[in-house]
Amino acid sequence: MERKASSMAKVLLIGIVIAILCSEIKCSFEDNFSKSDCPDSHFKTSEDGQIWYLSLDNKAGCGFMTRQKYRFGWFSMRLKLVGGDSAGVVTAYYMCTEDGAGPTRDELDFEFLGNRTGEPYLIQTNVYKNGIGGREMRHALWFDPTQDFHTYSILWNSHQIVFFVDKIPIRVYKNTNYTNNFFPNEKPMYLFSSIWNADDWATRGGLEKTDWKNAPFVSTYMDFNVDACQWEDPFPSCVSTTTQNWWDQYNSWHLSSDQKLDYAWVQRNFVTYDYCQDIERYKVKPEECWLSPWD
């Protein structure tokens, strides 16, 4: 009996070790991502392959994208942004239906807008459907994103898109119960990240230019986490169900009570721009702006 128990314990131990090893392999960069066409010197990893570094200089930036496409789910990554004088530098973490700014793309954006030393970073989020964006919001942060890693996440289902910072919802973008031209819910998307020069608009509307004496500018990544429907042609079964995945069940169709409190705190203290309130830019308020994020 003792011998049988000992053998069973060994089997369980081996199973646990294999599971851990497989989990580590699955989380490796090569398994999930492919690097953009940038110099090898602009992409580096830690020795164990779990931390990734993208760099920008006056010759090139760098980026990566998932090997898989997804339609709906939870997407999360931990980032540490470029420190020091990062004016003009944008670190982008986003989802898109294609590798390129095509005229009919759908896209969900996190863009981190660099600034002069001592001035705060801004996060810009945006949503595209069929190539049409112009739905920017900008937020300040309640921490210095260059000092440590923080988690940036997107929840995407057929009812809402929620952008999170450290699990705090900063933006809620709702769908309707009728066909519309503003909510991207039909096309699967890849997940991308990149670092690039955008000093024509990113910092104070382009007034602050990138100081290349501070190059290379480096953004750092770790802990990619995805719990989502991986796309399989012609149509994966997990897209159409609301019983198998937490991110497409009723509780994920709206904010929880605690999330509403966090969201209200962010709205009161950290929103610096909201396209829905920009009456000079939009004489007629866009249709989606009438939808309540609280429902």
Side-chain angles (χ1 to χ4, degrees), residues 2 12-13 17 82 117 138 152 181 221-222 238 255:
E2 290 180 1
L12 290 173
L13 179 60
V17 171
V82 176
T117 302
R138 290 188 179 186
Y152 304 91
N181 293 316
Y221 305 78
M222 65 185 301
C238 57
L255 299 182

Side-chain angles (χ1 to χ4, degrees), residues 30-212:
E30 291 79 8
D31 189 67
N32 286 307
F33 299 98
S34 58
K35 182 173 71 72
S36 66
D37 184 18
C38 60
D40 290 341
S41 60
H42 288 54
F43 175 81
K44 297 180 180 179
T45 68
S46 59
E47 288 188 6
D48 62 4
Q50 299 304 302
I51 302 176
W52 319 320
Y53 308 90
L54 297 184
S55 65
L56 166 73
D57 59 24
N58 60 352
K59 295 180 180 178
C62 199
F64 57 79
M65 63 182 289
T66 53
R67 298 182 184 277
Q68 299 83 23
K69 292 186 293 184
Y70 304 93
R71 184 180 175 210
F72 304 146
W74 171 265
F75 309 87
S76 183
M77 185 90 79
R78 297 182 68 199
L79 280 73
K80 183 164 67 173
L81 301 180
V82 176
D85 187 342
S86 59
V89 176
V90 171
T91 299
Y93 167 56
Y94 62 103
M95 301 184 68
C96 190
T97 52
E98 56 191 79
D99 182 13
T104 61
R105 74 190 186 279
D106 290 355
E107 187 171 321
L108 310 175
D109 291 343
F110 269 116
E111 292 179 313
F112 306 91
L113 312 183
N115 216 331
R116 292 296 180 211
T117 302
E119 296 297 320
Y121 259 85
L122 292 177
I123 290 184
Q124 177 169 284
T125 57
N126 203 352
V127 177
Y128 285 76
K129 180 170 183 178
N130 292 327
I132 298 174
R135 302 180 175 100
E136 299 93 344
M137 286 191 70
R138 290 188 179 186
H139 294 77
L141 291 167
W142 49 96
F143 55 83
D144 183 346
T146 72
Q147 294 300 305
D148 203 352
F149 288 93
H150 290 269
T151 304
Y152 304 91
S153 311
I154 296 172
L155 171 67
W156 176 33
N157 57 46
S158 60
H159 297 267
Q160 65 176 1
I161 297 162
V162 185
F163 295 83
F164 291 86
V165 176
D166 289 338
K167 296 189 177 180
I168 293 177
I170 66 166
R171 180 175 185 178
V172 179
Y173 190 82
K174 303 293 283 191
N175 197 6
T176 61
N177 58 3
Y178 56 85
T179 301
N180 59 65
N181 293 316
F182 58 81
F183 192 93
N185 61 351
E186 299 170 353
K187 305 172 188 175
M189 301 193 201
Y190 298 96
L191 189 142
F192 297 80
S193 193
S194 60
I195 183 170
W196 51 292
N197 178 43
D199 65 3
D200 58 332
W201 65 269
T203 307
R204 295 184 59 214
L207 295 177
E208 302 285 352
K209 300 300 182 182
T210 304
D211 187 347
W212 295 110

Side-chain angles (χ1 to χ4, degrees), residues 216-229:
F217 303 98
V218 180
S219 55
T220 312
Y221 305 78
M222 65 185 301
D223 293 348
F224 172 62
N225 179 23
V226 57
D227 185 355
C229 176

Side-chain angles (χ1 to χ4, degrees), residues 253-272:
W253 297 354
H254 50 259
L255 299 182
S256 69
S257 297
D258 288 342
Q259 287 174 335
K260 287 179 180 179
L261 292 175
D262 288 339
Y263 179 70
W265 173 70
V266 170
Q267 298 307 296
R268 288 194 306 270
N269 296 288
F270 299 103
V271 176
T272 64

